[in-house]
């Protein structure tokens, strides 16, 4: 490390020598490049409040990665400080306009929200980047809570359609008799109770953009036929209409169901499966990417404490060991809920084993057959009981602390039969 860069980092050469790169350089990815063997050129990196343009290049010896070399692009610290102010200003403006745009086009997540450094996650990100630019249909598969919707949002945001609408439809949550009109709309007078002037369907609203059909395995057979026509002919037919309408929509689907088995049982159309499965992305369950657990735990800790305004910045060794040992049947969604519970229950600035949901401390056998909803209900009840006791059963205060409305708190007290 050059003396100039040492001064920029505020360390001495003796401090840096022999230390792991993460201990010396903030937000570094040098160790990742040394592991993956993939170079990273002109990456914007935040170091000590300043942005530097970093290049990271793997070093090979007989086709084996033996290390990595990194450079940052600046010749004069004072000049760089002035440039950094300009970059920060541009990024602030960009972030503001991005947030405003996301409010209107339906996108809530980006690929940056897919947190992790495991090989499976890095490979998944790489596949998303490769598939995003085209118009190919993508089927996203994975267990509940693994982040399938996040991937769909990321594909749209990275595609040429990002300036158009992203529309999500949960095929399992819409009553079967309403699904056709929700997807394709209807014309005036199509049926009793139809709105005057008709209604635009989700596909028409997404014209030029992307439609995300979540839980595609729950789509009834007659709707599978109509969806196949949309994929083949690029047109929809509103309920009650006399003619079809052309639409230009990219279709992304997702499921946690065994589609191949459903095809064997004639519960899902094979021809539709081949249409939506032009490209497939598989999200690994959390138990198969355990090296990401601590990264995700701290990611959620920062996210939740920022939202709640609590000063908690550490998870102690025993608590982290428990997090690493648990099998996480609810995947990332369950982990985030568990960290939120711990933040609520923590008394100091550190999450310890007593802050975590009680079900994490029970044996594997006691939890593996218990539904996730039941586990989370138990945890929610314990939080409310603890906060009520802590605040001397002042319900207004407890509602404020928990960030929920007074009526919601009363409903939960009634639901869980809490004595107060």
């Amino acid at each position: 490390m050059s003396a100039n860069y040492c001064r920029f980092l505020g360390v001495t050469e003796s401090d840096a020598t022999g230390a792991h790169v993460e201990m010396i350089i903030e937000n570094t990815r040098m160790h990742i490049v040394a592991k993956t063997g993939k170079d990273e050129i002109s990456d914007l990196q935040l170091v000590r409040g300043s942005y530097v343009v970093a290049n990271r290049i793997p070093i090979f010896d007989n086709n084996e990665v033996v290390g990595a070399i990194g450079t940052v692009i600046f010749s004069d610290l004072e000049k760089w400080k002035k440039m950094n102010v300009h970059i920060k200003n541009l990024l602030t403006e960009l972030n503001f306009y991005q947030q405003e745009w996301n409010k209107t086009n339906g996108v809530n997540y980006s690929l940056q929200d897919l947190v992790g450094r495991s090989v499976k996650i890095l490979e998944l990100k790489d596949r998303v980047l490769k598939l995003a630019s085209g118009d190919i249909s993508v089927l996203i598969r994975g267990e509940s809570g693994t982040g399938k919707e996040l991937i769909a949002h990321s594909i749209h945001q990275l595609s040429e359609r990002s300036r158009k609408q992203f529309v999500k439809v949960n095929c399992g949550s819409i009553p079967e008799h309403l699904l056709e009109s929700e997807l394709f709309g209807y014309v005036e007078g199509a049926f009793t109770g139809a709105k005057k002037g008709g209604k635009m369907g989700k596909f028409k609203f997404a014209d030029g953009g992307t439609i995300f059909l979540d839980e595609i395995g729950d789509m009834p057979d007659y709707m599978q036929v109509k969806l196949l026509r949309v994929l083949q002919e690029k047109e929809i037919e509103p309920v009650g209409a006399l003619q079809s309408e052309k639409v230009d929509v990219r279709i992304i689907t997702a499921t946690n169901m065994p589609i191949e088995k459903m095809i064997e049982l004639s519960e899902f159309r094979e021809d539709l499966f081949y249409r939506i499965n032009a490209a497939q992305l598989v999200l690994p369950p959390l138990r198969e990417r355990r090296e990401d657990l601590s990264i995700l735990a701290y990611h959620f800790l920062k996210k939740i404490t920022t939202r709640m305004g609590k000063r908690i910045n550490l998870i102690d060794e025993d608590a982290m060991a428990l997090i690493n040992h648990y099998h996480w049947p609810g995947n990332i969604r369950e982990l985030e809920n568990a960290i939120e519970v711990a933040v609520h229950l923590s008394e100091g600035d550190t999450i310890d084993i007593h802050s975590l949901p009680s079900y994490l401390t029970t044996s594997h056998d006691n939890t593996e057959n218990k539904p996730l909803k039941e586990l989370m209900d138990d945890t929610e009840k314990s939080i409310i009981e603890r906060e009520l006791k802590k605040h001397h059963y002042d319900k207004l205060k407890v509602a404020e602390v928990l960030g929920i409305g007074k009526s919601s708190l009363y409903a939960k007290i009634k639901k869980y039969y809490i004595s107060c």
Side-chain angles (χ1 to χ4, degrees), residues 6 24 50 54 58-59 62 77 102 118 127 151 221 250 261 305 315 318 329 331-332 366 394 406 415:
C6 282
I24 302 299
S50 296
I59 301 172
N62 292 325
L77 282 177
N102 288 345
S118 61
R127 283 180 60 81
I151 296 298
D221 186 67
R250 183 182 192 176
K261 187 67 175 178
T305 53
I315 303 173
D318 291 338
N331 294 296
I332 293 174
N366 289 336
D394 183 342
K406 183 177 69 172
K415 174 184 176 182

Side-chain angles (χ1 to χ4, degrees), residues 20-22 28-40 56-60 63-69 116-123 288-293 295:
H20 192 282
V21 67
E22 283 188 293
T28 184
R29 290 178 54 84
M30 285 286 287
H31 55 300
I32 297 173
V33 172
K35 181 179 179 180
T36 64
K38 296 180 180 179
D39 59 16
E40 297 181 354
R56 309 177 193 98
I57 303 168
I59 301 172
F60 292 88
N63 294 321
E64 181 183 353
V65 182
V66 296
I69 184 169
R117 296 176 181 173
S118 61
V119 172
K120 287 188 176 183
I121 289 300
L122 293 176
E123 289 176 348
E288 292 181 8
R289 43 179 294 216
R290 290 190 174 276
E291 57 266 56
D292 289 335
L293 276 168
I295 299 171

Side-chain angles (χ1 to χ4, degrees), residues 4-12 23-28 45-52 77 80-81 84 88:
N4 198 27
Y5 196 36
C6 282
R7 285 195 299 274
F8 177 69
L9 295 174
V11 299
T12 64
M23 302 300 294
I24 302 299
I25 305 175
E26 183 182 359
N27 297 317
T28 184
Q45 178 180 340
L46 184 64
V47 181
R48 301 190 69 194
S50 296
Y51 286 96
V52 297
L77 282 177
W80 177 252
K81 287 177 182 177
N84 182 60
K88 281 185 176 179

Side-chain angles (χ1 to χ4, degrees), residues 319 338-339 341-348 350-358 386:
I339 297 299
V341 167
V343 170
H344 277 291
L345 296 181
S346 180
E347 297 288 353
T350 300
I351 289 177
D352 58 26
I353 198 169
H354 303 293
S355 307
L356 291 170
S358 57
R386 177 166 179 160

